Each structure stands twice: as structure tokens, then as C-alpha cells.
Amino acid sequence: MLLKTFGWSFAITVVGLVVAVLIGGWTAFGIVAILSVLEISLSFDNAVVNAGVLKKMNAFWQKIFLTIGVLIAVFGMRLIFPVVIVAVTAKLSPVDAVNLAFTDKSRYQQLVTDAHPAIAAFGGMFLLMIFLDFIFEDRDIQWLRWIERPLARLGKVDMLAVCISLIVLLISSMTFAAHAHQHGGVHVDKGQTVLISGVAGLITYMIVGGLSGHFEAQLEEEEEREAEAEEEAERSGGRKNAVKLAGQAAFFMFLYLEVLDASFSFDGVIGAFAITNDIVWMALGLGIGALYVRSLTVYLVRQGTLDDYVYLEHGAHYAIGALAVILLVTIRFEINEVITGLAGVLLIGWSFWSSVRRNRAIEAAEGKGEASGDKAEVSSGV
């Protein structure tokens, strides 16, 4: 199972590292390897959230996510996206931006770094909305109940998540953006840029997330309508088929996953410039890492890990909230990528351990119940 799921990732890793050695020697090998680890550590929570969405899709759309989705993630976000950012912010043609990436790497790095406030505001607001919508929802299973119970009650207020996000954006535009960090250690006022980019991120979430949520709600209604038919099929010995997202519903969920992946990749792309400004090495390293994230997503779906460890999704969303805050803070202050990666890993690790403890407690309770039942049977038999 492990080899089947991660086989392509292992193969591409070998090919990528060999290409790195051929192009730039062992120095390139080390840089590509470090970037791969960086991408995996920063995007582990992305895999957990992706798995929660992907398991609702049918087999066809899962394959689309693993083929076209990988191409978008590897080539689109890790190679083309930085070039597009440079072209837009520096008002260059795409051809000139590509030429700059290969001929004047220092200038290219400077332009991408200077575009960071806009990137961080867009990604930060998109991720913040994901976290707030999750935390304000009333759920049957709660992890940190002392936080989640009162927030679920507050979540009954219409548009609360949007209001909080706009307040956070306004504060960020007047504080962090007023002294935004730029290439060379200088600080400039990027308030308007951050405000516009943040609103764009919020609108993107409301459109893509709203459409995917709409079709997901339709799926739930369809499941309810088919519940009686499935029960009848069970009674008659027929086969029960799970309802999976398809058609328009799956398309918008796929689009949602790609925008989500883009938001997660922002910090990885920007952070990669702290290691190298070579666009080829960067694409190789981040691309390999992105493949492992995709494989991990599939592994979580096929193993039913989210069903077995019910708090993992909670931990991933808390990690998303932490990443959203970190992105907004990095508009002004530099934060080491190790801190960003550790924040997500620790939260997910904590939620995993909480899930393990919960499962053990349930097993112990069931064991005691069975033992009590056995004693009762012996007593009545005597």
C-alpha cells in the first residue's frame, strides 16, 4: 500500500535529485533536498485538509486531482506563479520576467520579495476564512471543547467570520503594512496594496468556497433522499453504494482544493528564496515536496485515517489559522520557515495524540462493557 501510493513520489525524487546533480553538482543536490523537506513540513496540514475534501469525490475526480492537480501544483504554483508575480508587480511581459529569472536572479528575487505583502495578504485572508468557518461550525465531535463550544455558539451570528476577517485585514493594513518589510531590509507603506489583496483573497474564498459548499449541501440532500433506498437495498440483500461528489460539485471542490494549495504554497515559495534564487532548483525542490503532499493526501483517504483519528482535521485547521496569522505578520517581520513548519507539525501531532487517547478510552470503555455483560450472563445462568 505504501509503495503503491508513494511510488511515483519516490521515483520523481530520484530523477529530480539526479537532474540537480547534473545541473549544479552536489550543491544543487543539497539545496533541492532541503527545499523538498521544507515544502513537506510546511504543507502537511494541507494534505490533511485536502484528504477531508478528496474523500467526498468519486474515483474520476480523485484521479483528476492526482494528475492535472499535480501539474498545476508543481509547474503552476512552484514555477509559473513566481514569474507571474514578478511580471505583474514589475509591469513586465511574461517573456521578460522569465528572462529575468534566468539572467538576473538577484533582481528576480528582489521583485518577488517586494511582492510578498500582497501575496501574504491574499493567502492570509483566504486561509483565515477557512479556519474561522471551521471553528464557528457546530460539530458533533469537538477537540478543544473549552474553545470550540463557545465559538460554535458565536458562529450562529450571520457573517461573523467575514466581519472578523475584515477587521483583521483592516488592522493589518494599518499596522504591519504601514512598515512592510522589503528587499534590502527597508520598510515602506504597503497599506493600500495589502488592503486590496486581502479583499481579493476574501472574495476568492467566498466565491470558490461558497460554490463548493452549495454543491456539497446538495450532495447531503441527495444522501438523505437515498437513505431509505439504501436501507431497502440492505434488507433485500442489494449492494449499498456511497454517494460521491461528481459533475459540477466535484469541479468546484477541485477548484477549491487548487486555490487552497495555492494559498499554502505562498509561504513555501517566498521562503525558498532564503535558500536559493535559482528558479530551476526551486522548482525541483518544491515540486518534489508537492508530490509527497499529494501522495500523503491519497494515503490518508485510502487508509481512512481521518475517520480513525477524528481530531486530525481539527489540528490541521488550527494549523491553518496559525499559518494565516504568520502570513499576515510576515508582511512586516521576517519569520523563519522552521517556526512556520513546526507550528503546523506540533498542532497536528497534538491532535493525532489526542485521537489516539480517545480511541484507547473508547476501547477500554467497550471492554469494560463487554466484561460486565459476561458477568451478567454467568450470574443469570447460575
Side-chain angles (χ1 to χ4, degrees):
M1 176 63 185
L2 189 65
L3 184 60
K4 180 180 179 181
T5 305
F6 289 89
W8 276 106
S9 297
F10 294 152
I12 296 299
T13 300
V14 173
V15 173
L17 292 175
V18 169
V19 170
V21 172
L22 294 176
I23 294 177
W26 292 108
T27 300
F29 176 92
I31 290 174
V32 170
I34 291 171
L35 287 174
S36 301
V37 175
L38 172 69
E39 178 68 14
I40 294 170
S41 64
L42 289 175
S43 299
F44 187 82
D45 44 358
N46 187 12
V48 177
V49 176
N50 282 353
V53 178
L54 193 64
K55 69 179 183 180
K56 302 174 184 177
M57 294 182 174
N58 62 19
F60 171 78
W61 280 99
Q62 288 183 2
K63 290 180 180 179
I64 291 294
F65 176 75
L66 296 173
T67 52
I68 298 176
V70 166
L71 294 176
I72 295 174
V74 175
F75 296 101
M77 289 309 304
R78 276 73 182 182
L79 182 61
I80 299 175
F81 170 73
V83 174
V84 172
I85 288 296
V86 169
V88 173
T89 56
K91 298 180 180 179
L92 299 173
S93 69
V95 175
D96 290 337
V98 171
N99 184 57
L100 189 67
F102 286 98
T103 59
D104 193 349
K105 297 176 182 177
S106 297
R107 175 60 179 165
Y108 176 78
Q109 177 181 350
Q110 177 183 342
L111 291 174
V112 173
T113 302
D114 290 346
H116 177 67
I119 298 170
F122 181 94
M125 294 306 297
F126 188 90
L127 295 177
L128 182 61
M129 280 297 300
I130 293 175
F131 169 70
L132 292 177
D133 272 355
F134 180 87
I135 204 67
F136 283 143
E137 185 176 343
D138 190 8
R139 298 178 177 277
D140 295 331
I141 297 176
Q142 295 177 330
W143 178 32
L144 305 178
R145 295 181 180 178
W146 58 280
I147 295 178
E148 295 176 14
R149 281 182 177 175
L151 289 179
R153 289 194 291 267
L154 286 175
K156 295 178 181 178
V157 179
D158 290 338
M159 304 299 290
L160 181 61
V162 176
C163 291
I164 292 177
S165 296
L166 287 174
I167 291 172
V168 170
L169 177 60
L170 188 60
I171 293 174
S172 299
S173 67
M174 294 188 299
T175 54
F176 300 136
H179 302 280
H181 176 77
Q182 296 285 272
H183 186 80
V186 299
H187 293 84
V188 296
D189 186 356
K190 289 279 187 174
Q192 183 178 2
T193 299
V194 166
L195 197 59
I196 294 173
S197 300
V199 170
L202 181 61
I203 292 173
T204 301
Y205 173 82
M206 294 180 70
I207 293 174
V208 180
L211 288 171
S212 60
H214 168 71
F215 287 110
E216 188 174 1
Q218 287 187 339
L219 174 68
E220 292 175 357
E221 292 177 1
E222 184 179 346
E223 288 176 337
E224 292 176 0
R225 288 195 301 268
E226 294 188 359
E228 294 183 1
E230 290 176 353
E231 291 176 0
E232 180 63 29
E234 285 184 342
R235 286 194 294 268
S236 61
R239 185 177 180 181
K240 177 181 176 181
N241 294 316
V243 179
K244 296 288 185 179
L245 284 170
Q248 287 182 319
F251 171 75
F252 283 108
M253 292 298 277
F254 170 77
L255 186 61
Y256 172 79
L257 284 175
E258 292 307 316
V259 178
L260 177 65
D261 179 75
S263 298
F264 272 100
S265 69
F266 289 155
D267 59 328
V269 172
I270 298 299
F273 280 103
I275 299 172
T276 181
N277 59 8
D278 190 298
I279 190 172
V280 176
W281 296 358
M282 190 183 301
L284 280 174
L286 297 182
I288 290 172
L291 285 173
Y292 277 97
V293 172
R294 281 297 197 278
S295 297
L296 180 59
T297 299
V298 176
Y299 182 80
L300 293 174
V301 172
R302 291 176 178 172
Q303 292 293 104
T305 306
L306 298 186
D307 295 326
D308 295 335
Y309 303 97
V310 295
Y311 296 141
L312 267 181
E313 194 169 4
H314 294 73
H317 279 86
Y318 279 104
I320 287 175
L323 178 57
V325 173
I326 290 173
L327 277 173
L328 294 174
V329 172
T330 56
I331 293 174
R332 179 173 180 179
F333 303 102
E334 289 189 69
I335 297 180
N336 193 287
E337 289 74 28
V338 174
I339 297 176
T340 306
L342 282 178
V345 171
L346 289 176
L347 284 167
I348 292 176
W350 181 16
S351 65
F352 176 78
W353 175 240
S354 297
S355 300
V356 172
R357 292 179 60 189
R358 174 184 181 272
N359 293 343
R360 289 177 179 175
I362 291 175
E363 290 175 0
E366 290 176 349
K368 290 180 180 178
E370 290 175 1
S372 298
D374 292 340
K375 290 180 180 178
E377 288 178 9
V378 170
S379 177
S380 61
V382 174

